[in-house]
Amino acid sequence: MERLLNLEDHIPALRRYAFALLRGRDDADDLVQGSLLRAIDGMENRRGTGDLRPWLFSIMHNLFVNQWRRRRVLGAVMVDHPDADVAVAADQDAGIELHDVLRRLDRLPDDQRAVLLLVAVEGLDYASAASTLGIPIGTVMSRLSRARDRLRDAPPSDAKSVPGWRP
């Protein structure tokens, strides 16, 4: 019972990661719900008493990959959801910058984006991220470095409208 209560503490982080993967609130909520159901079902079989967070992210990541493969096989097309856009007042530069960062993040390859989100956004250490994604720690470090380089070197989404930006 105590483990189930600890699941609640991780729901906000799971929702952030799911939204970053899917960009739609409804789809993200469905992914979180599916992940929590699998976690509850597997709680009795879980080995160890360590931090639940990497285990929950592993469940979510695997569920996401399985759903993505299923959609690809069925020929489904993922479309942008209208509620995925960042809605802010036009005079807020922070909102424009956030939108630009999200667009740059969307342009990253899936493997780099997953590592970046787990390490930089969710605060998982390299070993936990490697375990979550089922890859070696060196691969995590390499993908993270490449993702950071791509984000830093990418031109803004609408580069022509940014003062001082030159190709």
Side-chain angles (χ1 to χ4, degrees):
M1 182 67 169
E2 184 176 326
R3 282 187 176 179
L4 291 178
L5 295 176
N6 289 338
L7 284 178
E8 284 186 54
D9 297 338
H10 300 286
I11 291 173
L14 291 171
R15 290 190 79 216
R16 275 192 309 271
Y17 185 51
F19 184 78
L21 290 172
L22 297 168
R23 290 287 185 259
R25 286 186 180 93
D26 293 338
D27 289 338
D29 287 341
D30 289 345
L31 182 60
V32 170
Q33 181 179 0
S35 301
L36 291 172
L37 287 173
R38 286 185 181 203
I40 290 168
D41 288 344
M43 192 66 73
E44 292 178 9
N45 300 329
R46 183 172 183 268
R47 295 182 298 265
T49 58
D51 189 12
L52 287 175
R53 195 170 184 186
W55 182 66
L56 292 170
F57 281 121
S58 293
I59 292 170
M60 178 175 283
H61 178 76
N62 292 335
L63 186 59
F64 169 74
V65 169
N66 290 341
Q67 289 176 352
W68 179 80
R69 285 180 183 153
R70 192 175 310 118
R71 285 181 181 162
R72 192 179 76 185
V73 168
L74 296 175
V77 177
M78 295 185 73
V79 295
D80 288 339
H81 294 278
D83 61 348
D85 290 334
V86 179
V88 293
D91 63 342
Q92 295 179 348
D93 291 336
I96 295 169
E97 290 174 14
L98 175 62
H99 190 67
D100 184 52
V101 169
L102 290 175
R103 285 191 185 271
R104 289 181 191 200
L105 189 63
D106 283 341
R107 288 190 210 138
L108 290 176
D110 292 339
D111 57 347
Q112 291 178 13
R113 182 175 50 238
V115 169
L116 184 71
L117 291 170
L118 290 174
V119 174
V121 177
E122 297 304 332
L124 264 62
D125 58 40
Y126 292 166
S128 297
S131 173
T132 296
L133 299 173
I135 57 176
I137 292 177
T139 304
V140 167
M141 293 166 38
S142 174
R143 288 179 183 175
L144 182 62
S145 176
R146 287 194 311 259
R148 287 177 175 163
D149 288 346
R150 287 182 91 153
L151 284 177
R152 181 180 52 249
D153 296 340
S157 297
D158 189 9
K160 294 177 184 175
S161 68
V162 176
W165 184 82
R166 296 181 189 144

